[in-house]
Amino acid sequence: MIKNNKNNLIETYQVREKGFHPLLIRDNWQVAKLNYLEDQNIRNIKKLDIHFNTDEVFVLLKGKAVIIAAVFENGIPVFEMELMEQNMIYNIPKNRWHNIAMEEGSEVLLVEKSNTHLSDFDHFNLDPKHITILRDKVEELLKNKTNR
């Protein structure tokens, strides 16, 4: 939803529906919002994404989320991840595999080149063994951070 003030000097954007929503697309960049989707639940993550022409910035606005990055060594994904802190800026440089695991109710702001979600991406489908490894690592990270 876009709302302008009375003089159209300030634009505001808000979206509450689940999913990915590009909100502001200008001059080759975009701001988008990702509201929790079942596909982003750690139990449902089965793939990694990559962008070849843009970094992607993530900012946790609400809830709990884990940002996931990976490199491949001998064809095997090696994961690095962090429990996101609200208002901290996380950047995934271009040409890095990544995804984000979210708990229900979480909201994340994204900044990247425009139309990245339409044309500048590829996916890598994880096999069941690597899905389990990823899930276990994310759940352990959440458990350790919660117990501190």
Side-chain angles (χ1 to χ4, degrees):
M1 175 181 107
I2 301 172
K3 182 176 85 175
N4 293 319
N5 70 2
K6 66 181 179 178
N7 295 321
N8 292 323
L9 299 176
I10 300 171
E11 298 174 353
T12 58
Y13 301 82
Q14 183 178 45
V15 63
R16 297 184 198 279
E17 294 81 20
K18 290 183 178 183
F20 178 79
H21 305 276
L23 299 172
L24 175 61
I25 302 174
R26 300 261 169 73
D27 300 324
N28 298 317
W29 62 275
Q30 72 183 14
V31 177
K33 189 169 177 206
L34 176 61
N35 293 332
Y36 174 81
L37 278 170
E38 288 294 322
D39 287 351
Q40 297 309 133
N41 185 292
I42 189 54
R43 294 263 166 222
N44 299 325
I45 291 180
K46 296 179 174 77
K47 65 181 179 180
L48 299 172
D49 301 331
I50 193 168
H51 305 298
F52 302 105
N53 298 309
T54 187
D55 287 11
E56 187 170 13
V57 172
F58 297 83
V59 180
L60 179 65
L61 301 175
K62 177 180 168 186
K64 279 190 180 177
V66 174
I67 191 147
I68 302 160
V71 295
F72 284 82
E73 294 179 3
N74 300 318
I76 298 170
V78 177
F79 300 108
E80 181 178 311
M81 59 194 69
E82 252 187 77
L83 181 63
M84 296 177 73
E85 296 178 34
Q86 283 188 358
N87 302 311
M88 177 75 72
I89 297 169
Y90 298 87
N91 185 54
I92 299 293
K94 65 182 177 181
N95 295 311
R96 297 245 174 100
W97 293 100
H98 63 281
N99 207 327
I100 185 168
M102 303 170 74
E103 289 188 351
E104 190 165 355
S106 298
E107 300 176 4
V108 175
L109 183 78
L110 292 92
V111 179
E112 59 196 355
K113 283 187 179 176
S114 63
N115 298 319
T116 296
H117 63 289
L118 299 176
S119 60
D120 179 30
F121 65 91
D122 200 359
H123 301 290
F124 177 83
N125 293 318
L126 297 166
D127 65 31
K129 175 183 173 186
H130 296 113
I131 290 170
T132 300
I133 291 169
L134 176 61
R135 184 181 305 145
D136 290 349
K137 286 183 176 220
V138 169
E139 288 177 347
E140 184 65 27
L141 181 63
L142 288 168
K143 178 181 164 191
N144 286 341
K145 294 285 183 172
T146 303
N147 290 336
R148 288 186 183 174

